[in-house]
Amino acid sequence: MPVITLPDGSKRGFDKPVSVYNVALDIGAGLAKATLAGVVNGMDVDTSFVINDDTTLTLITAKDTKGLGILRHSCAHLLAQAVKQLYPKAQVTIGPVIEDGFFYDFSYERAFTPEDLEKIEARMYELANLAQPVERSVKSRVDAITYFEAIGENYKAEIIKDLPESDTLSLYSQGDFTDLCRGPHVPNTSHLRAFKLMRVAGAYWRGDSKNEMLTRIYGTCWADKKQLKDYLTRLEEAEKRDHRKIGKTMDLFHLQEEAPGMVFWHPKGWVIWQTVEQYMRSMFVKYGYQEVKTPQIVDRSLWEKSGHWEKFHEDMYSLEVDNRQYAIKPMNCPCHVQIYRQGITSYRNLPLRLAEFGSCHRNEASGALHGIMRTRNFVQDDAHIFCMESQIQSEVMHFIDMLFEVYTRFGLTDIAVKLSTRPEKRIGADEVWEKAEKALADALDAKGLDWKVMPGEGAFYGPKIEFEIKDCLSRSWTTGSVQLDFSMPVRLNAEYVDEDGSKKHPVMLHRAICGSLERFIGILIEHYAGKLPVWLAPVQVVLTGISNKQDQYLQEVERNLRKLGVRTQIDLRNEKIGFKIREHTLSRVPFIVIAGEKEQSLGQITVRKQDGTDLGALNIDALTELLLAEIEKKVE
């Protein structure tokens, strides 16, 4: 007679073994219909799973994050079933869940086309409407290999051959299709009501360029049609806000094949860069950081000592000069330790905060490159804090204050906080990890932040806090982080003299707020659709006249504004005023000021905002006051 304990603490007893579905039915028919799966004693299971003993149970519906993942995984299977029906010679490989959707890789004699996707999606909806039961079965490793080889699914058989021989495998079947999967899955295909196939891409089998090129079909799946429509609308808006398109329209930067993954900054884009960098530099000063500069190229031996060569050498650019092997730095931390090690450091000098706008190079896969969001050369607002264990909490709190002040200035106020704790493979004693994790957790609590634990997601050398910002389209971007490192100071022999005269290794905090400045600027461009706050705008005001008679007057106004630090552009072209207003509006200039004969005679200027708001005629002092106030606001 199992007794089921539900999340609210209530209990339900049954006189015989009971399935997850029947527990839901016992609560209510509506809940049973909505239930996709269950969590029994922490284990994800299908609704058909039978409970024999007393246990805890959580019912999963499409309203839950986990339920959405189940829908997407089941939709990947639905995609594979439709492809197999339409293109029987295709072989299935893998089909995981990804952010906002899923994909499935197929081996086929040709790449699928957009027309194929339309057919496949239509067949998927037909199959979903059949409400096919999704049933789980179990096979031994040998039987599973035999089964998939018999039906010509050689990739599935290869996957299974790499699994331990003792493994018992679960298979899921719906109609004429069976796939290898851990599950759980929806009870039947009628739960799959809102999905869309998005695009086709190429992908090497097992990510190895030596293997066959497969066809990857991407799709998205949601709990209902409204969520799907909202997602597609967000994608349309994201397309309009694509930083690459806006960057071209505003003449900010470009990339070209001769320097893949490296940015050519144009004058206007470099103004944005310099504004961000100088602001961050002012924050370094405010929060007690000392700025440093370290070499771009360092002998391989340092990267070996730090541990980076072993783990990352394939992603590092290296070269040989005078029979010595060097690497272009992929990160700044080992170099900062070298500065720390010059001379004897006393506990009285800690914490020591070293910051650098460090230019780093990483050989990212060409397929991963994405405008200025993912590059091979990038600059970090990087800093490393050397401190004693007793100072960890206070230093993390100090960093959090700085981070939130910075994000607020940039208008990024929707921030999620995550604490990543000890992974299974790690170095250091458990008591050290407990102390470190507690220090980070206490710092977050002391700041009154809501945060969640990401178990096992910490670095091998220590836990970390990650800060995720959400943009106006509710997309999450991990930008800031602080990582606790007990390992590198030991590996690179960094020490300080403690109060009792003994030598000890400091703790090292790796921290960044913007992260990659290139990526951060790309996020800002998309968040604001190029309509940056006035203080960030590369051109803050354009001055233009009705005719050339106002040229000298406008030049005088421009000189006065430039003296005050206002970034101005003057447009004296012999074009119609409507044409010039439209052009500068498309260039996202915050203010357009216009002078005609009347304004010139009165010593005034007509002011128009980018959104079309007409502020009327202002005298020059009022214009100056308006512009300086808007620039000082920092955030709109």
Side-chain angles (χ1 to χ4, degrees):
M1 293 182 59
V3 175
I4 311 297
T5 303
L6 299 170
D8 63 0
S10 63
K11 298 180 185 294
R12 288 181 179 264
F14 297 87
D15 57 8
K16 60 181 179 180
V18 61
S19 69
V20 169
Y21 172 80
N22 282 324
V23 175
L25 187 61
D26 189 62
I27 298 172
L31 179 60
K33 185 178 179 180
T35 298
L36 302 177
V39 182
V40 175
N41 274 351
M43 179 176 68
D44 295 345
V45 299
D46 300 291
T47 57
S48 61
F49 181 85
V50 175
I51 301 170
N52 295 292
D53 304 305
D54 294 353
T55 187
T56 59
L57 171 64
T58 300
L59 298 172
I60 304 299
T61 71
K63 295 179 180 179
D64 304 307
T65 300
K66 188 169 285 189
L68 194 54
I70 291 169
L71 288 175
R72 288 169 177 167
H73 201 171
S74 298
C75 213
H77 282 219
L78 189 68
L79 164 61
Q81 182 184 11
V83 167
K84 289 294 294 183
Q85 288 188 0
L86 292 170
Y87 310 95
K89 292 182 179 179
Q91 290 191 58
V92 296
T93 63
I94 59 170
V97 173
I98 57 174
E99 185 177 4
D100 293 333
F102 58 91
F103 70 77
Y104 214 116
D105 290 346
F106 300 92
S107 173
Y108 191 48
E109 57 194 17
R110 63 171 175 81
F112 291 117
T113 65
E115 291 74 23
D116 292 328
L117 292 197
E118 292 181 14
K119 295 177 184 177
I120 295 167
E121 183 180 304
R123 179 60 60 89
M124 289 172 67
Y125 273 106
E126 290 172 5
L127 294 170
N129 291 334
L130 294 176
Q132 300 175 113
V134 180
E135 299 173 332
R136 181 178 185 269
S137 61
V138 173
K139 287 186 182 291
S140 68
R141 178 177 177 274
V142 173
D143 288 346
I145 292 171
T146 301
Y147 170 77
F148 282 110
E149 286 182 339
I151 62 173
E153 296 293 354
N154 299 320
Y155 288 88
K156 287 294 181 186
E158 185 178 333
I159 291 170
I160 298 170
K161 288 175 183 178
D162 289 339
L163 299 175
E165 293 187 10
S166 58
D167 275 12
T168 298
L169 307 174
S170 58
L171 278 62
Y172 281 83
S173 300
Q174 55 196 57
D176 58 354
F177 178 72
T178 298
D179 206 349
L180 172 73
C181 193
R182 292 191 184 92
H185 281 279
V186 294
N188 65 73
T189 58
S190 70
H191 289 273
L192 307 176
R193 300 186 295 269
F195 54 82
K196 184 174 180 58
L197 299 185
M198 305 299 294
R199 60 189 175 92
V200 173
Y204 291 110
W205 169 235
R206 294 188 161 175
D208 189 337
S209 59
K210 297 177 183 178
N211 292 335
E212 178 193 354
M213 175 67 78
L214 306 173
T215 296
R216 176 171 295 176
I217 298 179
Y218 286 95
T220 189
C221 177
W222 297 86
D224 54 48
K225 295 288 187 182
K226 182 181 182 304
Q227 289 185 19
L228 175 62
K229 182 180 178 181
D230 289 346
Y231 172 71
L232 296 176
T233 300
R234 290 199 303 272
L235 284 186
E236 290 177 8
E237 184 61 27
E239 180 70 17
K240 297 175 186 174
R241 293 168 178 263
D242 190 314
H243 71 280
R244 294 166 296 183
K245 292 183 178 179
I246 293 174
K248 186 174 183 179
T249 300
M250 295 179 67
D251 191 25
L252 303 179
F253 59 83
H254 82 275
L255 298 99
Q256 64 186 61
E257 186 55 39
E258 288 78 2
M262 303 180 195
V263 186
F264 291 80
W265 288 100
H266 298 190
K268 290 180 181 178
W270 194 241
V271 168
I272 300 174
W273 174 288
Q274 286 293 313
T275 305
V276 173
E277 182 180 307
Q278 293 305 324
Y279 169 68
M280 292 306 301
R281 181 168 280 120
S282 72
M283 298 300 286
F284 286 165
V285 173
K286 180 175 179 178
Y287 281 86
Y289 288 82
Q290 300 177 66
E291 190 173 344
V292 298
K293 188 68 176 175
T294 59
Q296 282 296 110
I297 301 174
V298 182
D299 192 283
R300 168 178 169 172
S301 60
L302 180 63
W303 305 109
E304 289 176 334
K305 290 176 185 175
S306 69
H308 290 104
W309 187 266
E310 178 184 355
K311 294 184 177 297
F312 304 114
H313 72 275
E314 291 184 355
D315 297 325
M316 296 168 68
Y317 290 98
S318 59
L319 67 159
E320 189 171 309
V321 180
D322 297 334
N323 296 319
R324 293 179 65 181
Q325 193 167 10
Y326 296 87
I328 303 175
K329 68 178 180 182
M331 53 199 65
N332 304 297
C333 33
C335 295
H336 287 190
V337 178
Q338 304 315 300
I339 294 177
Y340 174 90
R341 291 180 65 241
Q342 302 305 302
I344 299 173
T345 300
S346 165
Y347 74 96
R348 297 179 185 275
N349 303 124
L350 300 179
L352 177 65
R353 308 181 188 108
L354 301 180
E356 178 178 8
F357 294 103
S359 181
C360 300
H361 289 75
R362 297 179 189 173
N363 189 19
E364 300 279 0
S366 59
L369 300 178
H370 179 66
I372 64 174
M373 296 288 206
R374 189 74 175 268
T375 59
R376 286 175 173 164
N377 173 220
F378 56 93
V379 174
Q380 295 177 305
D381 64 321
D382 205 6
H384 296 90
I385 303 166
F386 299 89
C387 64
M388 298 181 287
E389 286 188 24
S390 60
Q391 296 171 321
I392 294 172
Q393 181 178 333
S394 60
E395 282 304 301
V396 172
M397 293 173 65
H398 184 263
F399 166 69
I400 292 172
D401 286 339
M402 181 180 180
L403 177 138
F404 274 84
E405 182 174 348
V406 168
Y407 286 171
T408 299
R409 287 291 180 91
F410 286 108
L412 303 168
T413 55
D414 190 346
I415 304 167
V417 185
K418 300 176 180 180
L419 172 59
S420 299
T421 59
R422 69 193 80 177
E424 184 177 344
K425 293 182 179 180
R426 59 184 182 272
I427 60 174
D430 283 345
E431 56 266 27
V432 175
W433 276 89
E434 287 167 8
K435 185 187 301 183
E437 290 169 357
K438 185 176 187 303
L440 296 184
D442 287 348
L444 293 171
D445 288 338
K447 301 309 297 181
L449 298 175
D450 291 326
W451 53 279
K452 67 177 182 178
V453 177
M454 304 295 287
E457 295 295 318
F460 72 93
Y461 52 77
K464 63 180 175 179
I465 301 172
E466 292 184 320
F467 298 86
E468 260 187 13
I469 57 175
K470 277 193 175 181
D471 65 14
C472 64
L473 299 181
S474 296
R475 297 175 300 181
S476 293
W477 307 90
T478 299
T479 48
S481 66
V482 55
Q483 304 179 35
L484 190 51
D485 187 352
F486 290 97
S487 172
M488 194 173 296
V490 176
R491 295 183 72 124
L492 298 182
N493 199 30
E495 296 178 329
Y496 69 92
V497 179
D498 204 0
E499 189 173 7
D500 61 4
S502 63
K503 289 186 176 180
K504 294 183 177 178
H505 297 292
V507 176
M508 191 173 177
L509 295 173
H510 307 245
R511 49 109 297 186
I513 296 177
C514 298
S516 157
L517 264 65
E518 287 84 352
R519 181 169 175 265
F520 191 73
I521 291 170
I523 292 169
L524 290 174
I525 290 171
E526 295 197 358
H527 177 65
Y528 287 106
K531 301 172 185 177
L532 296 167
V534 180
W535 75 284
L536 281 172
V539 177
Q540 294 166 329
V541 58
V542 164
L543 301 95
T544 190
I546 301 298
S547 71
N548 291 337
K549 295 178 181 179
Q550 289 82 51
D551 287 1
Q552 187 174 349
Y553 175 62
L554 289 169
Q555 288 168 342
E556 182 181 351
V557 174
E558 185 200 25
R559 280 194 296 271
N560 291 333
L561 292 176
R562 282 188 178 276
K563 287 178 184 179
L564 294 171
V566 179
R567 294 192 287 271
T568 64
Q569 178 181 333
I570 190 166
D571 185 350
L572 304 179
R573 293 176 299 167
N574 188 23
E575 298 282 358
K576 291 183 178 180
I577 190 65
F579 173 83
K580 290 191 282 188
I581 289 174
R582 181 177 182 277
E583 188 175 82
H584 295 304
T585 300
L586 290 174
S587 295
R588 278 82 164 176
V589 179
F591 290 95
I592 302 173
V593 298
I594 306 161
E597 291 185 10
K598 179 180 179 181
E599 287 87 357
Q600 183 177 3
S601 65
L602 297 173
Q604 294 179 335
I605 203 97
T606 296
V607 183
R608 178 189 177 95
K609 295 184 73 173
Q610 184 193 71
D611 63 6
T613 303
D614 189 346
L615 301 182
L618 302 176
N619 62 41
I620 304 306
D621 288 342
L623 170 66
T624 301
E625 184 178 341
L626 168 68
L627 292 174
L628 293 180
E630 288 292 325
I631 292 168
E632 186 62 28
K633 273 202 306 190
K634 299 293 185 187
V635 176
E636 290 191 343

